[in-house]
Amino acid sequence: MWIYEKTLEYPVNLKCRDLRMAKVIMTQLGGPNGELAAALRYLQQRYTMPTGKSKGLLTDIGTEELAHVEIISSMIYQLTDGATPEELKAAGMDTNYAQFGHGLQPTDSNGVPFTTAYINVFSDPVTDLHENMAAEQKALATYYQLINLTDDPDIKDVLSFLGQREITHYQRFGEALMDVYDFTECKKIF
């Protein structure tokens, strides 16, 4: 299936607690344009892709998005590590603490729980690949906006890495779209 290396795809070594940033970064864990939604979307869409190349690509990128869930979770954990209930309350993270303690629950930055409504699987490969390209662009915009909210170079470094991966995924989905167009032209299924 996969080979799992027990290390993050990109190192996360944040030195300062920052509950405000942890709260806004939560959107990339459980929000509609976050990494968990992307991973599940791509891993489900792969079944209706018409070519081995497009199926393989969705499997690879979906798996990498799970690695990004690990990175985001590591960031949030490090930014909140050792926070007291009073500090969490002051940062607006008290409802998460009340329900889950210091556990990382997939929510957006407003505490709205992750939902499978964020996952779009249409079963038309062209539609799904266009959806994926749009999703990568929305995630990239979110990373740029998160970078604008901090002065911490360590946080910016990790967010920049994740943003670069969104660009790469967008490009790979464009290649998959061309592969699907070539296949459908040969098969005349559209």
Side-chain angles (χ1 to χ4, degrees):
M1 196 162 136
W2 293 289
I3 296 173
Y4 176 63
E5 293 182 27
K6 295 184 179 185
T7 183
L8 292 177
E9 179 186 13
Y10 193 81
V12 177
N13 298 303
L14 307 181
K15 298 169 190 70
C16 300
R17 186 183 311 150
D18 187 340
L19 300 177
R20 181 190 61 81
M21 274 309 293
K23 182 178 180 189
V24 295
I25 289 172
M26 287 290 289
T27 196
Q28 287 304 89
L29 176 60
N33 302 316
E35 302 293 353
L36 183 58
L40 295 175
R41 177 185 309 114
Y42 305 156
L43 291 172
Q44 292 305 306
Q45 288 175 348
R46 67 187 171 160
Y47 294 104
T48 57
M49 287 292 138
T51 69
K53 181 178 179 179
S54 56
K55 285 179 187 183
L57 181 79
L58 282 159
T59 301
D60 291 347
I61 295 177
T63 302
E64 184 177 349
E65 298 290 3
L66 290 173
H68 296 172
V69 169
E70 288 184 304
I71 291 170
I72 292 294
S73 296
S74 295
M75 291 181 77
I76 296 166
Y77 176 76
Q78 289 179 23
L79 290 169
T80 61
D81 189 30
T84 67
E86 294 79 22
E87 290 170 320
L88 292 166
K89 181 178 179 182
M93 299 179 78
D94 50 333
T95 55
N96 185 79
Y97 176 75
Q99 293 179 34
F100 310 111
H102 285 86
L104 298 179
Q105 194 66 15
T107 67
D108 69 10
S109 56
N110 295 313
V112 176
F114 177 79
T115 173
T116 57
Y118 300 153
I119 302 167
N120 298 310
V121 181
F122 191 73
S123 84
D124 173 67
V126 172
T127 301
D128 283 344
L129 290 168
H130 278 286
E131 165 68 28
N132 297 348
M133 292 172 74
E136 294 295 327
Q137 286 301 109
K138 289 186 275 185
L140 177 60
T142 302
Y143 281 123
Y144 287 152
Q145 290 160 190
L146 289 169
I147 288 168
N148 289 337
L149 293 173
T150 186
D151 294 324
D152 187 317
D154 295 325
I155 295 172
K156 286 184 175 193
D157 178 57
V158 178
L159 296 175
S160 293
F161 167 79
L162 292 167
Q164 286 300 313
R165 296 309 301 154
E166 304 299 341
I167 294 168
T168 300
H169 294 169
Y170 178 89
Q171 293 168 338
R172 297 297 85 82
F173 284 133
E175 293 167 8
L177 187 60
M178 293 299 101
D179 179 57
V180 168
Y181 279 142
D182 290 344
F183 175 81
T184 56
E185 181 62 31
C186 291
K187 297 291 183 183
K188 302 285 187 207
I189 55 176
F190 287 107

